[in-house]
């Protein structure tokens, strides 16, 4: 899913634009944004597996899992809001996406690890 999204949205502009004679930072930022989106997709898949496949998850973690999944699922809307309504430039948006993707990946990893512990 993440690979197909990356290929369809980023390969053609990168292939056409980056082959030109003039260098711009936009292509580097697009690559960083693609990596952030890949990490977010993996986090969403991990949180989805926790929501629907794990039956032995602690009851106290269920609201946290759903909240994190909601945040990750709405990230495209959040970044669109930052770009269009708040007028953030591409480097600032990409920095926000990278930071958010790393934070959500860490939280997803910790939640997944907490659900793997045997309950006594």
């Amino acid at each position: 899913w993440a690979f197909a999204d990356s290929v369809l949205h980023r390969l053609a502009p990168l292939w056409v634009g980056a082959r030109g004679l003039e260098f711009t930072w936009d292509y580097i930022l697009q690559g960083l944004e693609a990596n952030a989106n890949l990490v977010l997709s993996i986090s969403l898949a991990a949180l989805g597996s926790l929501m629907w496949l794990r039956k032995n998850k602690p009851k106290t973690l269920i609201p946290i899992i759903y909240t994190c999944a909601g945040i990750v699922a709405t990230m495209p809307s959040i970044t669109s809001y930052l770009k269009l309504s708040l007028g953030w430039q591409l480097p600032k948006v990409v920095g926000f996406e990278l930071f958010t993707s790393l934070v959500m990946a860490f939280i997803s990893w910790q939640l997944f690890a907490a659900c793997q512990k045997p309950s006594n």
Side-chain angles (χ1 to χ4, degrees):
W1 172 19
F3 176 74
D5 177 62
S6 183
V7 166
L8 291 175
H9 287 103
R10 291 177 180 80
L11 184 64
L14 184 63
W15 185 261
V16 172
R19 292 184 63 197
L21 297 175
E22 204 171 294
F23 174 79
T24 61
W25 284 99
D26 291 338
Y27 302 111
I28 301 294
L29 293 173
Q30 283 179 357
L32 292 172
E33 185 179 23
N35 286 328
N37 288 336
L38 180 64
V39 171
L40 283 172
S41 296
I42 292 170
S43 297
L44 185 60
L47 290 168
S49 73
L50 284 177
M51 287 190 295
W52 290 294
L53 298 178
R54 299 283 180 207
K55 304 296 182 208
N56 61 346
K57 56 186 170 276
K59 301 292 183 197
T60 57
L61 293 181
I62 292 174
I64 298 170
I65 292 169
Y66 279 92
T67 302
C68 290
I71 291 170
V72 171
T74 57
M75 275 305 292
S77 298
I78 294 169
T79 56
S80 292
Y81 174 75
L82 293 174
K83 287 178 194 175
L84 300 175
S85 297
L86 298 182
W88 282 20
Q89 299 299 319
L90 187 60
K92 196 172 184 180
V93 172
V94 171
F96 173 77
E97 285 182 326
L98 286 170
F99 176 75
T100 307
S101 67
L102 291 175
V103 168
M104 294 311 292
F106 180 75
I107 291 171
S108 300
W109 175 47
Q110 292 299 318
L111 288 170
F112 208 84
C115 289
Q116 294 296 322
K117 294 178 185 172
S119 58
N120 293 338

